Amino acid sequence: MALISKSQQQRTSATDAEIRAKHKSEYSKDISREPIHPISQLQGPFEESIVEATESTGSERLVGLDAQSRRRDLLESIEYKRLCGRKWLQRPGERYHPIWKLIAQISFGIHLLVKRLAKSDFEVLKILQNHVDELDGFLGRSTEDFLLIQVDVRTRIQYLNLPLQNLVVFDEMLQDRNFRLTMIDYNLKIEHAIERFAAAIEDALKDVQKGKEAIGVLWRYLKQSAEEYGPLSSNLLAIYKAMLANTEGWNVAFSNLRRQGVALQSALSQLCLAITELQRRVGIASRKEAVSTRLTIFHFYLALS
């Protein structure tokens, strides 16, 4: 949900980098040189986020790929790369999860507004909107990635079920050595995909758990702020309601992602079982051919003698 209207957002042409550059100055006004976060649990993430926001190399940690490109990168990269939301690369020495840092910034912006510490409410709202969009983007990317994995895994399971449901025909086809080699190569590719998908899903579920925890902290802070600083002005009340709606929506979205991730892990297990059965039958066919070859050679030598 937008905190400021599109027309208001268009009143300035500030880039994302410019907005980030204002974090330290705008979010630190009227407080000590060491910013004190209203939620002690978020002090560390908040300080780390300020350092990152003012770093000129911050953009190097971002990976901007569409869903299909992220899938291709996941499967084809030589090494698996841990990306939060398939976007944020972990920075050397980074201590806190990106979502915790986003929530730290969001809650601090709300703190500035309700305590009237910001020199410009509009600038703080722009920063808040930027963070809201980032969190929405994380959820959107994660949903897209889960959907692509789901389609991929489901398609592979359907493809493998065909021979498994026609074992007599499949076993006959496995008597052809070239066909067996083709199946072995295909199985290796599927095993690689399973390994990468499993790693990505596991990491995504870790991100989802961190997100759920962080959203819980934000929700409690919003409730506390409304009680402590109420009654709120009409403008602040509108912002409060928008943020509360965002928080509740994020909580639902994280819960949905967790269910999807667990379901995908189950689907991967089914795919593993199918691959295991195919490999077993390929192995049986290979051993039969080896025995047949040895018997043929044995009979050949008998004939010579």
Side-chain angles (χ1 to χ4, degrees), residues 18 23 51 54 102 107 113 124 173 176 219 236 287 299:
E18 290 169 339
H23 287 191
V51 172
T54 55
L102 277 177
S107 52
L113 292 173
V124 172
M173 295 175 68
D176 184 331
W219 187 85
L236 283 178
R287 288 190 293 274
H299 290 148

Side-chain angles (χ1 to χ4, degrees), residues 75 152 156 188-198:
L75 292 177
D152 191 303
R156 293 177 193 267
L188 288 174
K189 290 178 180 178
I190 294 182
E191 286 179 338
H192 172 75
I194 290 174
E195 180 182 338
R196 290 295 175 89
F197 287 155

